[in-house]
Amino acid sequence: PLAAIAFVIEEIVGDLNNRYLGRVVLSSVIGAFVVYALIGRQPAFVLPPIENISWLHYLIVPVVALAAALAGVVFQRATLRWRLRLRKQKRIPAWLLPVLGGLLTWVIGCTVFLAVGKIGVFGLGYQDLSSALGNHFEWKVAGVMVVAKLLAMIIGYSFGGCGGIFAPLLFVGGMAGYFLAGLARLWVPLTPADQIILAVVGMSACLGAAVRAPL
């Protein structure tokens, strides 16, 4: 409910003092009660117990946040720029653009699957991201997934594909944080819990930079 309230106020209403605030709060709370009553608590990601956290990870937080935020900005700007260009061109029929975008996305996803055995480029990618958040993922592969997923997202949306941006941005940010944490562990004695925290930092930074809803 708190996330719903913050998102609606920032993205839709745009005014903390708006007279609709009470209705937004009431709607989000009722919605949460209905969901819990019908299907129970169903978190998108299951995090393991976070223990043995070191203070060293705070040194890496700004780096992860900056890199993940830049990934979000790259997605936003590249998608808008190429989508505008493709709409203006006349060589390829408009109805064929989403087909080509889907085909290119399929090629990227299949290439990644054949190379590293991961399917996170397709769909939401929650399975791979959940593995990373559980520390059951190779950090080097996470770097491959960042590049592949970001490229597939830009192509898919630029060619006229539709869909949400929350899940893919969380995926890119989480994998970016996990990759940078794994890279940092070569020089800094970070704990596995530190790596999970940095992945979550990346998720927040990437999503916040693209949708501009920092709360």
Side-chain angles (χ1 to χ4, degrees):
L2 294 178
I5 294 169
F7 179 76
V8 170
I9 291 175
E10 286 188 326
E11 288 295 295
I12 301 176
V13 178
D15 181 10
L16 289 174
N17 299 316
N18 193 281
R19 61 191 179 92
Y20 293 110
L21 177 59
R23 303 178 190 180
V24 172
V25 173
L26 181 62
S27 299
S28 63
V29 172
I30 291 177
F33 275 124
V34 171
V35 170
Y36 289 165
L38 293 178
I39 65 174
R41 187 183 179 193
Q42 298 287 334
F45 308 103
V46 179
L47 292 176
I50 305 297
E51 301 174 350
N52 300 323
I53 302 172
S54 72
W55 286 95
L56 293 173
H57 84 273
Y58 286 108
L59 299 175
I60 317 298
V61 164
V63 178
V64 170
L66 177 60
L70 287 176
V73 172
V74 167
F75 161 73
Q76 185 184 54
R77 294 188 176 182
T79 300
L80 293 176
R81 182 178 301 134
W82 280 102
R83 189 162 187 148
L84 182 60
R85 289 184 179 181
L86 289 171
R87 282 182 177 179
K88 289 182 178 180
Q89 62 84 32
K90 301 298 182 181
R91 296 181 179 179
I92 305 175
W95 62 268
L96 188 58
L97 287 176
V99 178
L100 294 176
L103 179 61
L104 292 173
T105 301
W106 177 80
V107 170
I108 295 172
C110 289
T111 302
V112 170
F113 175 74
L114 293 174
V116 298
K118 302 297 181 181
I119 59 172
V121 173
F122 298 112
L124 299 178
Y126 278 0
Q127 181 179 354
D128 288 345
L129 183 55
S130 296
S131 297
L133 293 175
N135 254 331
H136 305 300
F137 208 87
E138 187 177 353
W139 67 269
K140 295 179 181 179
V141 175
V144 175
M145 300 304 293
V146 170
V147 176
K149 185 75 167 180
L150 189 59
L151 184 59
M153 288 164 55
I154 293 173
I155 291 175
Y157 283 105
S158 298
F159 279 76
C162 61
I165 62 172
F166 274 52
L169 287 173
L170 289 174
F171 181 93
V172 170
M175 287 295 176
Y178 194 82
F179 168 74
L180 292 174
L183 185 63
R185 289 184 71 178
L186 298 178
W187 297 280
V188 182
L190 298 175
T191 67
D194 294 334
Q195 196 163 357
I196 296 175
I197 291 176
L198 290 172
V200 176
V201 168
M203 294 167 66
S204 304
C206 187
L207 179 65
V211 304
R212 299 184 180 181
L215 291 183

